Amino acid sequence: MRVALFVPCYVDQFYPKAAIATLELLEKLGCEVHYPKNQTCCGQPMANSGYEHLTSGCNNLFVDNFSGYDYIVCPSGSCTLHIKEHLYADGKEEQATEIRKKVYELTEFLVDVLKVKQLSASFPYKVGLHQSCHGLRGLRIAQMSELVAEPFSKPAQLLDLVNGLELVPLSRQDDCCGFGGTFCVVEEAVSAKMGKDRVADHISHGAQYITSADLSCLMHLEGILRRQNSDVKVIHVAEILNHSM
Amino acid sequence: MSREKILAAVKFNQPAANPLPDMEVLNTLTDVRTDLVSKYKTIATAGGSFVYEVSGFDEIKTIINNEFKPGVKIISALNELSDYIYAENVKHEDGHNFADVELTVLSTKLGVAENGALWLTEKDMGSRVLPFIAQHLAVVIGKDDFVPTMAQAYKVIVDADYGYGSFISGPSKTADIEQSLVIGAHGPRSLSVFILS
Amino acid sequence: MSTATTKDHPHLAAEFNRDEPRVNWHDETLWWVRAKRDIAAHKLPEWELLRETASQIKFNVLSNLSTYLEQFEANAIKNGIIVHWAADAAEHNQIVHNLLEQRGITKMVKSKSMLTEECHLNEYLKEQGIDVIDSDLGERIVQLANEPPSHIVLPCIHKKKEEIGDIFHEHLGSAKGESDPKILTETARQHLREVFLTRRAALTGVNFAVAETGEFVICTNEGNADMGAHLAEIHIASMGIEKIIPERKHLGVFLRLLTRSATGQPITTYSSHFSKPQDGTEIHIVIVDNGRSIQLGREEFRNSLKCIRCGACMNTCPVYRKSGGHSYHTAVAGPIGSILAPNLDMKKYADLPFASTLCGSCSNVCPVKIDIHDQLYKWRQVIVKEGYSPKAKTMAMKAMALTLASPTLYRMGGKTGRLVFKYAPFAVNNKLNPWYNQREMPKAPDESFGEWYAKRKGAKN
Ligand code: SF4
């Protein structure tokens, strides 16, 4: 199985460990992982700011980098969703359509495609799971609390396979962290308040780590935790799933 | 003329015709076997109503006479409760005259188990303002007059001809001050429901 | 309100956030309302089907709106109701004023109607020398405080009971320092009863207007719409063109959804169906367009007209909960307001579609399944294309797009000065950057993933 690893720009630059963990984990699980080296970004920063019309360069590049693989896997729900919903490329529409179908967020790939039922990982800590909104409501990697439907959570299902890990309950299981791309600076007051409130929920339930399938949320929460000099750390779900004693 | 202008703009801008959905599926999803009276009781009570299961009008009279001081103004739309002012006789009076009514007693043939609502039309009320202006409201209903949900309720009244009708599900209330529930906003301070067996 | 209109959402939200305990209180209160909604919804196994059905009925309405409007009008007239049409807010206000003036009425009681907020009817009538008293408790409170409602269902959700106590002490003579909601409500009851008994005209909103029968339905918990309407000689009901539903039986769908979505109650206390005027009185309906027919023509945004004004999207919205209704500087706040307002004035409300993280919770609580967060995204594109976006932002975005389209530019500059992060808000190492106010910057690692990978043995590109 030829899997292309899509590492979003801010993960590449700031959170290489999450990308490394994703790569190693996929390899451990038997995938032939490729990293198309000319990749940059999904184009979401422009599009969500109202500049979708400026994303054609990004889109073209994305199509050139990621055509021809069995799957494309990404350790970020938000970027995955953006590709799934907004990747269009003039003259390469066939490839773009292929890619939109084949792109997966890591945890949904592990659960739905690789059908992972066991892991050798171990992580003896109390962990709070932050559901990223794009993963949750966009990709449906978990069930949102407002819908009258069977609950499920692909990240939680995987974390349950990790030795020693204890998931802490939260008062608000899927409230937004307030990152929101440029929202985090344009609406600084509300954004930071949302982030602080999410962090407080995790801390009050005894979390030692906050994890998520989305690093953009974690980057935001980490910014707040570090400002508060908190001992609580953020960690991408891939790093936990790839973590051995 | 704005009418023509609006209608023309709407007509020009509205999307291509889209059919109405099937509503029958929704009916089949309701569990009709549940005990409607007990469901009604639970929900109406939670909504602030007092629900009494009674065997006859004498029992209703006793309850009313226990709850209300002699001499207060009570208007009843029921023949069976003729000790009080008969709504039919005063229905043409100016509504302002009812400002001092303590209790209005009405009857209905339609109650809804899922939400505690009772359907009352102008005919049941005498004067439209009576169930609102009175300090207290009581409604008499037969034990077989309940339907499970609003879907069935509208089946009952689908062709009904009324000038005015209201589903009333409890006492007048508000939670506008810090979301704390207060019974007795502008209308009745209580709703008593008498279920006749 | 007058000062509020000059500032945009980020500024007003920042002001609201200066009092953090108050933000917490506001947020908790609304979250509690959302939690009650969840409990009510989860009690109905058919909930999602109800939402789908409601959404489809409303879509049918939009696609046949002109026919339904004419049908409604014909049936209402047959029922003895007088129908007026208003192209915009000004015409609506004039129609109402004329009706009052012709009868020599100078005092009116009004129950909740967001449409009249949208039209600024109260201000207009005041200028004409007409005294309007809002009878919904929450609306009366904000009216006395000289503020607009901050929420379409819970108009004074931003006010603490002590503040309401002060307002009542000043205007209604309640005891100084009294803040018990029960006592304050009783004070309002006595005050408003006097109003109901002395007003010859009552204005109400409309929740649903049935084309098939010509009747309209008003939902309240307090009974204020009924008290006003039944005691007045003239009842004026103002409705937007989108309030139409095809048949009476469809009320069975909407009334099951409306209050459960709004507050978690199974139904309002009163769901009143007005079909014919009471003997000796008149009912007038004013059917208002005010930009709705334009929105109907915007393919991507027309679904916003399905809204039944339940307020669920506000209660679930983390931005609304933490910024307050007034920060939206428009009559209808929150997510739905942010997709309605730009239709009326794109320049003035260019900030609102950006007052969201696009978390999508609004679309999933909405009882008529409006794709609210997708429309927010789409409004952003329209606003930028129409030139209502700041120039500096456009330039930064262009530079960013250029960088991200080029692997070479992307990698240039080494680990400290990668070009891309000059434009990434969270990474600009500058204390003027708003990110830095309350958050630390992410630390740049020694090497990027790309650099690590290039050195890795057996790397597969
Ligand atoms: S958009 Fe939907 S959720 Fe929001 S107020 Fe309207 S009907 Fe309710």
Side-chain angles (χ1 to χ4, degrees):
Chain A
M1 186 187 293
R2 293 178 76 241
V3 173
L5 180 62
F6 164 33
V7 179
C9 50
Y10 66 97
V11 178
D12 175 46
Q13 298 290 327
F14 290 118
Y15 296 97
K17 279 201 262 171
I20 294 169
T22 305
L23 171 75
E24 289 179 353
L25 184 61
L26 289 170
E27 285 180 345
K28 266 191 218 167
L29 294 165
C31 301
E32 180 189 322
V33 186
H34 297 251
Y35 175 68
K37 73 170 192 297
N38 281 338
Q39 58 179 290
T40 59
C41 168
C42 64
Q44 182 171 216
M46 285 88 77
N48 278 6
S49 304
Y51 295 82
E52 193 179 325
H53 59 286
L54 297 180
T55 57
S56 59
C58 248
N59 285 349
N60 274 309
L61 188 65
F62 198 92
V63 171
D64 291 345
N65 271 293
F66 288 99
S67 293
Y69 294 98
D70 296 330
Y71 296 99
I72 298 140
V73 176
C74 172
S76 158
S78 187
C79 306
T80 307
L81 180 68
H82 186 77
I83 292 297
K84 251 191 200 317
E85 289 188 338
H86 300 285
L87 183 76
Y88 295 97
D90 277 344
K92 301 175 192 161
E93 209 28 58
E94 215 172 291
Q95 290 109 297
T97 308
E98 276 287 310
I99 291 175
R100 290 200 305 272
K101 280 191 218 142
K102 287 178 177 172
V103 67
Y104 280 81
E105 179 279 325
L106 176 66
T107 62
E108 66 174 344
F109 183 73
L110 297 182
V111 171
D112 296 344
V113 179
L114 296 185
K115 308 210 183 304
V116 170
K117 295 266 160 31
Q118 59 187 57
L119 284 167
S120 59
S122 155
F123 196 74
Y125 300 100
K126 287 184 162 189
V127 175
L129 172 60
H130 172 73
Q131 296 285 5
S132 97
C133 300
H134 287 171
L136 180 74
R137 301 194 181 86
L139 297 172
R140 303 276 170 109
I141 67 173
Q143 188 58 273
M144 52 195 124
S145 56
E146 56 265 28
L147 225 56
V148 179
E150 275 307 306
F152 67 89
S153 167
K154 291 172 194 175
Q157 190 181 325
L158 293 166
L159 290 168
D160 274 344
L161 303 175
V162 176
N163 265 326
L165 184 145
E166 184 189 333
L167 269 183
V168 302
L170 297 170
S171 301
R172 299 187 189 176
Q173 68 181 66
D174 51 16
D175 217 12
C176 177
C177 76
F179 174 65
T182 45
F183 179 88
C184 73
V185 287
V186 175
E187 291 270 6
E188 184 268 331
V190 180
S191 170
K193 178 63 181 146
M194 286 167 70
K196 286 199 286 188
D197 289 355
R198 288 322 306 136
V199 161
D201 192 359
H202 287 267
I203 292 178
S204 72
H205 288 88
Q208 296 165 284
Y209 283 88
I210 302 176
T211 192
S212 171
D214 235 311
L215 265 164
S216 48
C217 311
L218 290 180
M219 176 169 64
H220 184 217
L221 299 177
E222 183 185 40
I224 285 162
L225 286 166
R226 283 181 40 221
R227 175 60 58 92
Q228 296 175 350
N229 291 317
S230 170
D231 295 338
V232 177
K233 293 189 168 50
V234 302
I235 184 168
H236 188 267
V237 69
E239 293 175 72
I240 296 183
L241 301 179
N242 190 47
H243 196 273
S244 43
M245 283 300 276
Chain B
M1 270 290 282
S2 292
R3 179 185 184 276
E4 278 62 42
K5 213 171 82 188
I6 295 168
L7 286 172
V10 168
K11 200 166 184 171
F12 183 76
N13 284 331
Q14 67 197 14
N18 237 64
L20 280 166
D22 173 25
M23 304 254 297
E24 281 312 306
V25 219
L26 280 167
N27 287 323
T28 61
L29 288 175
T30 345
D31 185 2
V32 286
R33 291 159 310 172
T34 43
D35 176 358
L36 295 179
V37 169
S38 74
K39 179 149 193 204
Y40 177 86
K41 260 183 97 165
T42 311
I43 292 186
T45 307
S49 302
F50 299 106
V51 183
Y52 303 88
E53 286 184 77
V54 293
S55 53
F57 286 94
D58 285 340
E59 213 177 322
I60 297 176
K61 271 186 230 167
T62 312
I63 294 169
I64 292 177
N65 293 339
N66 278 339
E67 294 287 324
F68 292 89
K69 287 193 213 101
V72 298
K73 191 161 168 185
I74 296 178
I75 298 189
S76 149
L78 285 85
N79 264 325
E80 295 86 346
L81 298 172
S82 53
D83 304 356
Y84 313 117
I85 301 166
Y86 192 34
E88 186 63 23
N89 296 338
V90 293
K91 72 175 186 191
H92 295 299
E93 274 186 29
D94 184 334
H96 296 78
N97 292 350
F98 303 125
D100 58 348
V101 171
E102 191 63 19
L103 172 71
T104 296
V105 191
L106 307 174
S107 77
T108 179
K109 292 221 165 321
L110 178 58
V112 188
E114 71 161 338
N115 56 22
L118 303 162
W119 173 246
L120 293 158
T121 66
E122 190 168 18
K123 280 208 190 79
D124 305 317
M125 299 171 183
S127 169
R128 287 183 193 186
V129 82
L130 269 176
F132 298 93
I133 201 167
Q135 295 292 332
H136 300 271
L137 176 64
V139 179
V140 182
I141 183 171
K143 72 169 178 17
D144 298 324
D145 294 336
F146 292 96
V147 295
T149 77
M150 292 303 278
Q152 290 83 20
Y154 278 102
K155 286 202 154 181
V156 177
I157 60 168
V158 69
D159 294 319
D161 182 21
Y162 48 79
Y164 169 80
S166 190
F167 280 103
I168 298 183
S169 66
S172 156
K173 55 174 163 283
T174 181
D176 274 347
I177 302 177
E178 285 200 7
Q179 277 296 292
S180 61
L181 181 69
V182 180
I183 304 275
H186 306 301
R189 300 172 190 272
S190 74
L191 170 63
S192 302
V193 183
F194 297 108
I195 302 177
L196 271 176
S197 56
Chain C
M1 206 196 126
S2 46
T3 53
T5 47
T6 53
K7 290 187 184 166
D8 61 6
H9 186 274
H11 285 97
L12 294 162
E15 279 171 20
F16 186 74
N17 270 271
R18 268 187 221 137
D19 185 352
E20 193 166 354
R22 195 183 185 94
V23 178
N24 293 340
W25 165 79
H26 189 261
D27 173 71
E28 287 290 343
T29 312
L30 286 154
W31 180 260
W32 184 59
V33 181
R34 146 111 200 238
K36 288 195 293 178
R37 172 258 172 219
D38 287 355
I39 294 169
H42 281 273
K43 277 190 190 144
L44 292 192
E46 65 266 48
W47 182 255
E48 299 302 333
L49 180 62
L50 267 174
R51 288 177 68 219
E52 181 56 34
T53 308
S55 174
Q56 287 182 25
I57 295 171
K58 281 284 185 176
F59 200 66
N60 169 270
V61 168
L62 296 184
S63 71
N64 293 294
L65 190 53
S66 64
T67 317
Y68 285 148
L69 279 166
E70 287 182 277
Q71 194 190 348
F72 172 75
E73 179 194 36
N75 287 321
I77 292 171
K78 223 185 288 169
N79 293 340
I81 292 174
I82 299 150
V83 180
H84 310 259
W85 299 75
D88 53 25
E91 191 174 3
H92 165 263
N93 294 349
Q94 265 161 29
I95 290 170
V96 174
H97 182 227
N98 287 345
L99 288 172
L100 300 174
E101 204 176 31
Q102 284 157 11
R103 289 161 184 77
I105 295 174
T106 55
K107 290 173 169 185
M108 180 171 82
V109 65
K110 181 166 140 281
S111 72
K112 191 144 72 203
S113 149
M114 286 316 295
L115 175 60
T116 60
E117 292 294 332
E118 174 188 323
C119 294
H120 300 290
L121 176 72
N122 282 16
E123 291 92 315
Y124 172 83
L125 287 181
K126 199 172 170 189
E127 282 164 23
Q128 315 303 315
I130 299 213
D131 174 57
V132 180
I133 288 191
D134 282 316
S135 60
D136 172 83
L137 177 60
E139 292 224 317
R140 184 67 184 133
I141 291 166
V142 290
Q143 188 183 32
L144 289 173
N146 208 8
E147 289 174 18
S150 67
H151 187 291
I152 57 177
V153 175
L154 320 164
C156 70
I157 195 71
H158 62 292
K159 283 241 174 290
K160 296 205 174 192
K161 56 179 194 258
E162 292 78 16
E163 294 161 340
I164 297 167
D166 288 345
I167 295 168
F168 277 24
H169 171 66
E170 184 186 337
H171 295 277
L172 306 180
S174 61
K176 195 168 170 55
E178 182 57 69
S179 66
D180 180 345
K182 274 205 182 83
I183 295 172
L184 296 176
T185 302
E186 183 63 29
T187 306
R189 178 185 170 100
Q190 300 303 339
H191 153 66
L192 286 164
R193 188 160 257 262
E194 175 60 29
V195 172
F196 288 127
L197 287 167
T198 51
R199 294 304 183 268
R200 292 165 55 204
L203 190 142
T204 68
V206 168
N207 288 93
F208 305 98
V210 186
E212 172 200 38
T213 59
E215 75 198 300
F216 60 92
V217 175
I218 306 173
C219 306
T220 73
N221 277 325
E222 298 179 9
N224 56 317
D226 290 284
M227 276 292 268
H230 301 328
L231 287 170
E233 320 162 4
I234 171 172
H235 170 187
I236 306 168
S238 296
M239 61 175 265
I241 54 172
E242 81 283 18
K243 293 290 170 191
I244 297 274
I245 61 169
E247 298 166 39
R248 182 182 284 167
K249 70 172 184 211
H250 295 132
L251 288 167
V253 174
F254 292 106
L255 292 184
R256 296 186 76 192
L257 286 165
L258 178 63
T259 324
R260 286 184 173 98
S261 299
T263 60
Q265 289 171 259
I267 192 168
T268 43
T269 305
Y270 305 104
S271 308
S272 297
H273 303 48
F274 292 81
S275 177
K276 299 168 191 162
Q278 196 166 206
D279 285 346
T281 68
E282 297 168 37
I283 296 180
H284 293 254
I285 290 177
V286 191
I287 302 175
V288 185
D289 182 347
N290 204 34
R292 287 164 177 75
S293 61
I294 299 172
Q295 188 88 322
L296 186 63
R298 298 188 198 265
E299 198 185 331
E300 295 183 312
F301 305 113
R302 64 165 60 109
N303 275 343
S304 61
L305 296 170
K306 291 179 174 179
C307 176
I308 58 172
R309 300 288 193 270
C310 72
C313 57
M314 304 178 172
N315 307 336
T316 201
C317 177
V319 178
Y320 175 87
R321 280 187 264 114
K322 294 172 212 274
S323 65
H326 289 156
S327 66
Y328 292 81
H329 57 94
T330 172
V332 178
I336 179 65
S338 301
I339 58 173
L340 290 174
N343 174 57
L344 288 174
D345 188 340
M346 223 181 279
K347 185 161 183 255
K348 187 171 170 194
Y349 300 119
D351 55 327
L352 294 185
F354 295 90
S356 162
T357 59
L358 306 182
C359 82
S361 186
C362 47
S363 307
N364 290 293
V365 293
C366 177
V368 288
K369 294 180 88 165
I370 301 172
D371 51 341
I372 307 172
H373 73 293
D374 288 333
Q375 292 194 33
L376 288 166
Y377 177 89
K378 288 171 186 162
W379 267 121
R380 294 179 183 188
Q381 314 304 323
V382 173
I383 283 163
V384 166
K385 279 208 190 102
E386 302 277 328
Y388 297 117
S389 171
K391 287 233 164 43
K393 187 172 161 191
T394 303
M395 279 165 60
M397 283 295 160
K398 280 189 176 154
M400 189 172 186
L402 214 66
T403 312
L404 292 175
S406 154
T408 330
L409 279 179
Y410 174 75
R411 277 191 227 104
M412 237 167 62
K415 75 169 194 252
T416 47
R418 286 179 186 91
L419 202 51
V420 53
F421 292 107
K422 287 209 177 127
Y423 310 105
F426 41 83
V428 183
N429 209 358
N430 174 346
K431 303 225 159 144
L432 291 176
N433 179 359
W435 171 278
Y436 195 68
N437 278 348
Q438 304 186 61
R439 294 161 289 205
E440 294 295 320
M441 313 287 174
K443 285 188 212 144
D446 290 338
E447 53 186 8
S448 69
F449 176 77
E451 287 159 354
W452 173 86
Y453 189 82
K455 294 189 227 153
R456 193 190 193 219
K457 237 173 63 192
K460 296 184 187 69
N461 287 325

